[in-house]
Amino acid sequence: MEKGLTDIFRDKIQKEIRIEPKDWMPEKYRQTLIRQISQHAHSEIVGMLPEGNWITRAPTLRRKAILIAKVQDEAGHGLYLYSAAETLGITRDEMYDQLHSGKAKYSSIFNYPTLTWADIGAIGWLVDGAAIMNQVPLCRSSFGPYARAMVRVCKEESFHQRQGFEILLTLGKGSPEQRRMAQDALNRWWWPSIMMFGPKDDESPNTIQSMQWKIKRFTNDELRQKFIDVCAEQVKLLGLVIPDKDLTWNEATGHYDFGPINWDEFWQVIKGNGPCNKERLETRKKAWEEGAWVREAASAYAEKIERKKALLVY
Amino acid sequence: MSSQPKQEWPLWEIFIRSKQGLDHKHVGSLHAADAQMAIENARDVYTRRMEGISIWAVESKYIHASNPSDAESLYDPANDKAYRHPTFYTLPDEVKHM
Ligand SMILES: [Fe+2]
Ligand SMILES: [Fe+2]
Ligand SMILES: [Fe+2]
């Protein structure tokens, strides 16, 4: 081989040729992807909890069916992503272990509580909206299995955001209490959603490398600005107010200016001190541990059937 | 029996036929205790929006793959045989239906 492995790899990245699991890749590329994809998977799985909280109390049968379908989609997203991560040589059990031991992170947005039905609207509009903003460029990520998983995820996300917006729209046209409830949800979910894009670019040391490897296509701040610009327009249709008095259209930049973000809160939640960190992790662990007998029973049953089949053959 | 840790269900590759008349296409993988569970899980994971009418599940350990580093020598024989393609042949414009 005349060319070194590193050169071949770099060449592919340059030419937008996807990297596949069996291709040679730098160890750091592999590790970065394992971390990012597994964290993304964990976020989808933990993300089911705040919404699951409202399934039994959805106001109508229609809303309940929709919410179940959405939460089921999130489980699917987690599974696509775990599978993509496994192609890089980490096992499912290792990833669960990292989540349950607190070693692995997931999106800190899911450490906030869902206090009213309007929160389900705000989550769909803002949290899924921010996720879509993040995920659409990931469909072109340089790692094949990740990009393919994201294509599937993005197709499914769009209804998530629309159903959330529809909930807020309905509440916005409702009684004064319903309008108040919608505004209150927006007040609580706005800033955490803005923080979903991650730390500011100059505090995000991995961004440059990830952009060079084309794992990421836009910086955190670029995506955040895009999201704010879109929401600042959409909110007008809801008749609600984004809780940022500094939010103003800037003719010169062609973007909305926005107020300071409380990064202290962001880091606190990441460190485990958010309102629901403990509860979320406990719930996950409990589900995993209490499901152990089901996993064992299914394995035992599969083995029994195999044995019976073997007996029939010989 | 397998190199997998005992508690982890085996991995399966899932192939789905989206429509009668089309091939089964690889869509991803999942864990399941046996083939029947693999197909049932594939139904839930990969066909929630009528993406398929038929599912194949193949345990991943039975998939044999070519080695990407062999790609050059493996596909090289096809490289210089442009005459296998119809566009290789220049015929007069008067020739119809060919
Ligand atoms: Fe999702
Ligand atoms: Fe997501
Ligand atoms: Fe979603």
Side-chain angles (χ1 to χ4, degrees):
Chain A
M1 226 176 284
E2 327 84 73
K3 261 200 213 164
L5 293 169
T6 320
D7 292 325
I8 297 175
F9 172 82
R10 208 177 300 141
D11 223 47
K12 282 190 195 155
I13 298 279
Q14 207 74 63
K15 291 182 183 144
E16 298 283 338
I17 297 171
R18 296 281 175 272
I19 308 298
E20 294 297 337
K22 293 205 162 176
D23 294 345
W24 184 89
M25 61 186 84
E27 197 44 35
K28 257 205 87 195
Y29 177 81
R30 182 186 300 278
Q31 292 311 328
T32 302
L33 277 168
I34 288 180
R35 203 194 54 232
Q36 182 172 333
I37 301 173
S38 62
Q39 282 183 8
H40 194 163
H42 298 328
S43 303
E44 304 284 352
I45 296 299
V46 177
M48 289 192 281
L49 300 174
E51 287 181 298
N53 180 34
W54 279 91
I55 288 177
T56 54
R57 291 175 288 161
T60 66
L61 193 55
R62 174 179 179 269
R63 293 288 183 205
K64 183 187 274 199
I66 291 170
L67 188 55
I68 290 174
K70 179 189 189 289
V71 171
Q72 194 188 9
D73 272 356
E74 305 302 2
H77 299 172
L79 294 177
Y80 309 152
L81 288 160
Y82 281 130
S83 296
E86 283 176 83
T87 66
L88 290 159
I90 187 168
T91 68
R92 186 74 61 95
D93 281 356
E94 282 173 311
M95 286 186 275
Y96 285 158
D97 207 54
Q98 290 176 351
L99 173 66
H100 297 156
S101 69
K103 186 179 165 232
K105 301 279 173 237
Y106 54 85
S107 183
S108 52
I109 191 83
F110 302 118
N111 290 316
Y112 290 86
T114 41
L115 303 179
T116 72
W117 170 253
D119 289 19
I120 301 306
I123 288 180
W125 177 39
L126 298 174
V127 177
D128 288 85
I132 292 170
M133 203 52 101
N134 252 321
Q135 288 169 172
V136 168
L138 291 175
C139 297
R140 293 186 295 125
S141 164
S142 58
F143 184 58
Y146 192 27
R148 291 192 287 275
M150 287 332 295
V151 169
R152 204 184 303 279
V153 166
C154 285
K155 265 189 213 153
E156 301 182 350
E157 285 293 355
S158 141
F159 114 70
H160 298 181
Q161 194 185 16
R162 292 172 71 99
Q163 63 88 35
F165 196 80
E166 193 198 61
I167 289 175
L168 293 179
L169 209 53
T170 308
L171 291 172
K173 285 185 196 136
S175 65
E177 282 119 296
Q178 285 171 320
R179 275 202 300 279
R180 228 178 296 129
M181 197 164 88
Q183 182 62 52
D184 169 62
L186 175 53
N187 291 348
R188 284 180 291 107
W189 288 94
W190 174 253
W191 290 107
S193 302
I194 295 306
M195 296 178 201
M196 274 178 76
F197 295 94
K200 279 185 295 192
D201 290 348
D202 47 19
E203 280 164 36
S204 174
N206 301 325
T207 292
I208 297 174
Q209 181 64 86
S210 285
M211 301 266 290
Q212 277 170 354
W213 278 333
K214 299 190 181 165
I215 296 174
K216 260 177 120 159
R217 297 284 175 164
F218 297 99
T219 71
N220 297 352
D221 286 335
E222 282 168 342
L223 291 168
R224 187 173 4 252
Q225 182 67 61
K226 258 191 183 183
F227 181 67
I228 292 173
D229 289 346
V230 169
C231 291
E233 291 300 319
Q234 289 173 345
V235 76
K236 295 175 186 168
L237 296 162
L238 293 173
L240 301 175
V241 185
I242 286 175
D244 178 359
K245 58 176 171 30
D246 297 322
L247 190 74
T248 40
W249 175 250
N250 183 328
E251 200 70 61
T253 61
H255 292 289
Y256 277 87
D257 291 335
F258 53 94
I261 296 170
N262 184 352
W263 291 111
D264 186 47
E265 177 184 326
F266 175 75
W267 294 113
Q268 282 300 326
V269 180
I270 286 203
K271 273 190 220 137
N273 303 324
C276 300
N277 294 56
K278 263 190 116 172
E279 186 190 326
R280 300 286 184 244
L281 220 52
E282 287 307 316
T283 310
R284 276 313 307 155
K285 278 196 278 196
K286 187 164 172 271
W288 178 247
E289 281 156 18
E290 290 181 357
W293 72 270
V294 179
R295 295 191 297 277
E296 281 159 27
S299 296
Y301 178 72
E303 265 171 48
K304 188 174 109 184
I305 297 292
E306 276 304 306
R307 265 201 311 275
K308 270 198 183 158
K309 260 197 236 156
L311 281 176
L312 282 178
V313 171
Y314 301 111
Chain B
M1 258 160 258
S2 77
S3 60
Q4 298 230 7
K6 187 89 174 69
Q7 66 274 27
E8 199 165 279
W9 287 341
L11 191 68
W12 301 74
E13 300 303 320
I14 305 301
F15 300 81
I16 289 182
R17 183 203 293 284
S18 58
K19 237 171 51 188
Q20 205 66 31
L22 295 182
D23 296 321
H24 284 77
K25 202 174 146 231
H26 184 244
V27 292
S29 47
L30 50 76
H31 288 271
D34 56 25
Q36 192 196 341
M37 190 196 280
I39 289 173
E40 282 163 9
N41 287 357
R43 194 254 338 248
D44 290 342
V45 178
Y46 293 108
T47 67
R48 285 193 305 280
R49 288 173 175 77
M50 305 200 302
E51 288 96 337
I53 53 152
S54 163
I55 297 172
W56 286 352
V58 182
E59 207 177 328
S60 308
K61 68 178 179 193
Y62 295 122
I63 303 263
H64 300 272
S66 63
N67 191 335
S69 62
D70 293 343
E72 228 167 291
S73 57
L74 202 57
Y75 305 114
D76 180 60
N79 229 341
D80 55 357
K81 296 178 180 61
Y83 46 83
R84 281 177 171 159
H85 298 278
T87 46
F88 180 77
Y89 305 90
T90 329
L91 302 182
D93 289 346
E94 293 78 55
V95 183
K96 300 289 183 210
H97 307 299
M98 193 183 284

